[in-house]
Amino acid sequence: MRRRQLLALSGLAALAAACGDEGSPNDVQLQFMYWGSTFEQKAVEKMLKSFEDSHAGAKVKALFTPDEYDVKLNTLVASGNVPDVGYVPMAMSYRLAEQGKLVNLFPYLTKYPQLAGYLSDAYLWYGRDQLHGVATANEIELLWYSKSAIKDAGIAPPPAEAGKAWTWDQLVSNAYRLTIDQNGKHPDESGFDPKQVRQFGISSSITYAAAWYGFLRSNGADFADEGGTRCLLDAPEAIEVFQNLQDLIYKHRVAPGPGQLAATGDDVPGTNILLKTKRVAMVVDGHWSLLDMNESKVDYGIGVLPKYDKPFTTSQVAGASAVFAGSKHVEKAVELFAFHLDPRYVDLYKLGLWMPQERKYYEDQAAIDSWTKNDSHPPEFRTAVVDYARDHGVPDLRVRLKNLQAINSDVLTPALQEIETGKRPAAEVLKEAAPKITSRMQGWHHKQKV
Amino acid sequence: MALNGQRRLERRWGWLMAVPAILGFVIFTAGPMVASLVLSLTDWQIGGTPAFVGAGNYTELADDELFWKSLSATTYYTLGAVPVALIVAFAVAMLLNQKVRGLPVWRTIFYLPTLVPAIANVVLWIWIFNPDFGLLNSLLRQGGLPAGMWIYDENMAVPSLIVMSTWGFGNTMVIFLAGLQGVPQHLYEAVSVDGGGPWHRFRHVTVPMMTPTIFYNLVVGVIGTFQVFNQAYVMTEGGPNNATLFYVYYLFRKAFRESEMGYASALAWVLFMIIVLVTFLLFRNARRWVYYEMAGAR
């Protein structure tokens, strides 16, 4: 045989082999793209492994992307190399859905009935009967605290029941007790040095909307009017909420200002580290912190947020999970999608990273126990998280408001930064920002019953 | 004229050797430039289909508050960073041009910051600027001076970044140093013969003879600082309140976060035109103050 013929033959053989592989059910290769902390990475990889174990012939490649998720996903979309299943920041997910880049999951709700029993705010609709995904988990905002800091200050810990939530004034006065400078002085004592604070009483973000949206609603204010076309941040009740947040830093001096917690730039240490080192005694942060709290063995407690009038917390504080339309194995990808959100198979709920989206996990005692009766969920979890989320959760703006990304980067974030730096009172800043936000508003996203 | 074998060979190999560079330029620079010019005339979001909008993006720019904000923040940075870097680099180059002991060591020390990778440099300065436990405020407090909020303060952010940029003056300094060593000794001797002191030598020999080098560093500095990005990206994310929303960072945000590729392309072309225009004006103006020893050798 001549060399050229031999080459041609071997080429054909390789081609045949490749085709054979393609047809074999043993070779469904899926990609799952996600973000998260290092502890989270381990947990998600374990979940993907258990999918592989229970679905013969399916292989899942994990694309862990802790930083610049939107930038990287955008690049993958531009080059046509999207993963099969993954997290999608909600700022992008609605756009990608409208562009046809995400699979409409509505037809699959009958095949996977567990997906049909979700909390209604979990569904991400982009039109009638058009469902591009769900919020990956039902996360809410909580008041985390260091038990020993509370004990040292000799105060009662933040209540774990919504009905007994602290008022804002109670929060402030307790934060005074918890704020200590290098000489052991509190902010209301003479000689207190605000530049040398050893332990801050409270940290509650001004620039992160999920952290203050519950306060806003609790004070009878809201971000937008009913039509979702007019911004209401210039209302007196809204201004009060932001002025109070600014006052925590500059008037009461019980909260860190910009840069005061950061070791490097915006990389503020995680809530677990802040509480463990007692740099801060109480932190407003999401439920997902539970995993890192347990992993780093923090002596923490969970309280509900302080209230103005009715107690509220922001819920559905998560990214979207979705199936990408470019997937070669859409059916298998949807199967992975349904699997990765199912507390029956996935231990991310028991580990404390996620809260389930299915309604029964908040209403049915056995179902509640199935994810909360374990070592990673402290005794107060039932009232401070399960009941709190069910009865006092108000869904995050990201699952509801259109054009939020442009609103955020063009107007809202700069305005909130101005409040955070303390140069001007909240009223001035918000009265300027509200009309600019209004001009960028495009209404609410579509909502419907399943 | 018929070429002989040798020259034909050289011609062919010459082209061949140049091909990688030419291909690199065409594929990675010229091609994308043409593509972005076309894209700048469209409304294109990543994942969607481009729609032709003519000059729409460019007219939209005129009404875009953040475009003007980013342009002014960048101009502010350029106007501060370039002169400061020129003066500091020139002064240090003068010092390092003296005959002192351990000269190579001094030169190395002053050049070292330039070798620090960009992100490591930025992280270091984040610490230096930290209001609570940063180097700068610690020193100020020890000296009994008021501490600042630096990059966390809207008014201080750009000046802080200008100070930081000065740190990496090594390359500019080396070029000045080379220029200084090319100043003919006989001119200095002539000044001395006429009874001139160090100031006269500096004013009437060093500065005029160095104008081409100053001019070169000025142009390179302006072009470079207009494209400032790292600091906004890593340190400030454009904040606080858009104080450091540098042009290229805004462009990046539009392109890769908001995926407005058409608009971002228009931003890129406007910046390109601004840099071309500024460079052109600098060259026009240079005729008045830049002295070339060999007239017409430009």
Side-chain angles (χ1 to χ4, degrees):
Chain A
M1 199 184 290
R2 296 178 55 159
R3 208 167 73 154
R4 195 173 290 228
Q5 283 172 314
L6 192 72
L7 276 176
L9 266 182
S10 60
L12 271 178
L15 199 68
C19 290
D21 278 0
E22 192 67 25
S24 135
N26 291 331
D27 201 29
V28 175
Q29 179 68 252
L30 298 172
Q31 290 190 330
F32 184 90
M33 186 168 169
Y34 66 108
W35 67 73
S37 71
T38 347
F39 295 131
E40 224 174 310
Q41 182 189 9
K42 271 192 223 148
V44 171
E45 271 174 9
K46 204 176 146 210
M47 176 268 289
L48 296 175
K49 184 79 178 44
S50 70
F51 179 79
E52 286 180 348
D53 293 346
S54 56
H55 294 72
K59 287 269 169 274
V60 189
K61 191 176 165 202
L63 300 177
F64 179 58
T65 312
D67 293 315
E68 294 289 349
Y69 198 90
D70 48 355
V71 173
K72 284 170 189 160
L73 185 54
N74 258 331
T75 315
L76 290 178
V77 171
S79 62
N81 289 314
V82 287
D84 297 276
V85 186
Y87 298 1
V88 187
M90 279 178 199
M92 280 178 73
S93 72
Y94 285 96
R95 186 193 94 228
L96 291 178
E98 277 155 21
Q99 291 171 339
K101 301 284 171 189
L102 301 178
V103 172
N104 179 7
L105 297 167
F106 186 69
Y108 292 94
L109 294 181
T110 36
K111 187 175 175 191
Y112 300 99
Q114 73 270 30
L115 293 177
Y118 274 22
L119 302 164
S120 62
D121 295 317
Y123 295 104
L124 306 172
W125 303 98
Y126 61 108
R128 171 143 295 279
D129 294 347
Q130 289 180 307
L131 179 69
H132 77 259
V134 295
T136 307
N138 177 24
E139 302 290 344
I140 63 169
E141 291 288 317
L142 299 162
L143 186 61
W144 301 86
Y145 59 89
S146 153
K147 276 188 176 168
S148 67
I150 295 281
K151 195 165 154 252
D152 293 346
I155 57 171
E161 283 172 55
K164 297 176 184 163
W166 279 345
T167 62
W168 190 264
D169 291 340
Q170 281 174 308
L171 173 87
V172 172
S173 70
N174 284 314
Y176 267 94
R177 309 281 26 99
L178 290 164
T179 305
I180 310 165
D181 75 0
Q182 296 292 3
N183 302 317
K185 286 194 179 344
H186 299 292
D188 47 0
E189 290 173 325
S190 69
F192 172 77
D193 182 358
K195 295 283 171 206
Q196 305 276 326
V197 177
R198 189 177 77 217
Q199 174 182 297
F200 288 102
I202 170 120
S203 165
S204 185
S205 175
I206 297 179
T207 50
Y208 180 53
W212 48 253
Y213 186 61
F215 298 142
L216 206 60
R217 294 292 296 269
S218 180
N219 204 26
D222 205 337
F223 187 83
D225 66 351
E226 269 175 37
T229 49
R230 196 165 76 81
C231 175
L232 303 177
L233 284 184
D234 51 358
E237 296 82 12
I239 288 168
E240 186 189 2
V241 167
F242 286 99
Q243 189 55 52
N244 281 343
L245 286 169
Q246 192 187 46
D247 284 349
L248 287 179
I249 306 172
Y250 299 100
K251 184 178 163 195
H252 306 301
R253 301 179 296 185
V254 295
Q260 284 192 283
L261 291 183
T264 52
D266 286 326
D267 280 341
V268 174
T271 297
N272 52 334
I273 305 298
L274 293 177
L275 292 186
K276 192 171 186 178
T277 57
K278 291 202 254 176
R279 186 82 178 102
V280 184
M282 305 185 288
V283 180
V284 174
D285 199 1
H287 156 272
W288 58 83
S289 310
L290 188 59
L291 173 71
D292 287 1
M293 290 287 171
N294 290 322
E295 292 284 348
S296 40
K297 305 199 173 3
V298 183
D299 185 24
Y300 67 92
I302 306 177
V304 297
L305 300 182
K307 63 175 182 185
Y308 285 86
D309 184 17
K310 288 199 185 94
F312 279 123
T313 184
T314 318
S315 63
Q316 301 294 352
V317 188
S321 277
V323 179
F324 286 85
S327 173
K328 277 191 217 133
H329 315 280
V330 172
E331 296 300 316
K332 218 33 170 198
V334 176
E335 209 172 329
L336 172 61
F337 173 83
F339 181 92
H340 100 282
L341 294 165
D342 197 328
R344 285 176 297 172
Y345 315 122
V346 178
D347 65 356
L348 291 167
Y349 302 91
K350 286 182 197 132
L351 288 173
L353 181 66
W354 289 351
M355 294 166 64
Q357 290 286 27
E358 269 178 89
R359 194 182 300 277
K360 68 172 183 186
Y361 290 102
Y362 298 87
E363 292 172 352
D364 175 71
Q365 189 58 48
I368 294 175
D369 290 349
S370 74
W371 66 287
T372 61
K373 279 270 178 280
N374 52 50
D375 290 346
S376 25
H377 292 76
E380 70 268 27
F381 193 85
R382 174 62 194 264
T383 57
V385 185
V386 180
D387 298 346
Y388 193 41
R390 186 190 59 230
D391 300 334
H392 302 277
V394 283
D396 192 18
L397 293 168
R398 279 175 292 189
V399 299
R400 297 161 60 220
L401 196 64
K402 287 185 175 171
N403 206 30
L404 191 58
Q405 181 156 34
I407 291 171
N408 272 335
S409 60
D410 291 357
V411 191
L412 186 59
T413 305
L416 296 176
Q417 282 175 346
E418 230 193 316
I419 296 176
E420 193 184 31
T421 51
K423 289 280 154 160
R424 290 200 296 161
E428 268 182 43
V429 176
L430 293 174
K431 278 179 184 161
E432 265 176 37
K436 289 190 203 163
I437 293 173
T438 297
S439 72
R440 286 165 172 79
M441 288 173 89
Q442 298 171 355
W444 304 108
H445 288 302
H446 177 74
K447 279 282 169 208
Q448 72 180 69
K449 290 226 158 49
V450 173
Chain B
M1 187 182 74
L3 294 170
N4 62 29
Q6 166 105 21
R7 290 187 66 178
R8 234 186 0 243
L9 197 70
E10 275 179 4
R11 174 173 276 199
R12 195 191 307 154
W13 277 99
W15 275 108
L16 215 57
M17 292 298 175
V19 158
I22 293 169
L23 276 183
F25 175 75
V26 170
I27 296 172
F28 295 112
T29 305
M33 276 182 77
V34 173
S36 81
L37 183 61
V38 175
L39 282 178
S40 77
L41 304 174
T42 67
D43 180 9
W44 180 48
Q45 289 207 316
I46 291 177
T49 348
F52 186 77
V53 292
N57 287 325
Y58 292 93
T59 47
E60 202 182 316
L61 271 176
D63 294 328
D64 180 354
E65 227 176 278
L66 291 181
F67 161 74
W68 293 107
K69 175 77 205 174
S70 68
L71 198 56
S72 73
T74 313
T75 311
Y76 181 16
Y77 178 78
T78 300
L79 289 179
V82 174
V84 173
L86 286 181
I87 291 167
V88 173
F90 195 92
V92 175
M94 292 275 292
L95 290 175
L96 293 183
N97 200 34
Q98 310 300 312
K99 292 187 175 53
V100 290
R101 274 164 62 99
L103 198 57
V105 177
W106 294 116
R107 284 182 182 172
T108 311
I109 289 175
F110 281 106
Y111 191 73
L112 266 182
T114 314
L115 300 176
V116 178
I119 299 301
N121 184 22
V122 165
V123 171
L124 175 73
W125 279 86
I126 288 173
W127 167 69
I128 293 178
F129 285 137
N130 187 288
D132 265 15
F133 42 83
L135 178 71
L136 207 49
N137 276 359
S138 307
L139 289 176
L140 288 173
R141 282 199 200 100
Q142 273 172 25
L145 295 165
M149 289 295 288
W150 310 117
I151 53 170
Y152 300 97
D153 181 294
E154 201 180 324
N155 298 321
M156 284 301 296
V158 172
S160 302
L161 295 181
I162 289 171
V163 170
M164 170 183 160
S165 75
T166 309
W167 199 56
F169 63 79
N171 281 332
T172 317
M173 178 197 77
V174 167
I175 296 167
F176 276 134
L177 202 51
L180 284 172
Q181 288 173 354
V183 178
Q185 278 302 316
H186 65 85
L187 294 178
Y188 288 123
E189 284 157 16
V191 176
S192 302
V193 168
D194 289 346
W199 168 249
H200 296 103
R201 287 205 292 276
F202 175 74
R203 173 69 189 82
H204 297 290
V205 178
T206 312
V207 172
M209 293 304 290
M210 286 295 286
T211 47
T213 319
I214 297 171
F215 177 64
Y216 170 81
N217 279 331
L218 174 70
V219 172
V220 171
V222 166
I223 294 174
T225 50
F226 259 111
Q227 299 176 62
V228 56
F229 175 77
N230 290 344
Q231 292 89 323
Y233 179 67
V234 186
M235 297 176 83
T236 61
E237 298 196 334
N241 193 19
N242 292 332
T244 59
L245 185 71
F246 293 135
Y247 196 98
V248 177
Y249 180 68
Y250 181 52
L251 189 164
F252 164 81
R253 208 169 79 179
K254 277 281 171 213
F256 292 100
R257 285 201 208 290
E258 298 173 35
S259 77
E260 298 278 1
M261 278 293 169
Y263 194 72
S265 298
L267 279 171
W269 274 88
V270 168
L271 179 65
F272 180 62
M273 296 322 280
I274 290 173
I275 291 179
V276 167
L277 181 71
V278 170
T279 313
F280 172 75
L281 290 177
L282 285 175
F283 269 93
R284 276 279 297 267
N285 183 261
R287 288 177 202 160
R288 289 204 226 140
W289 61 273
V290 177
Y291 168 76
Y292 290 94
E293 202 178 1
M294 292 174 286
R298 256 188 307 164

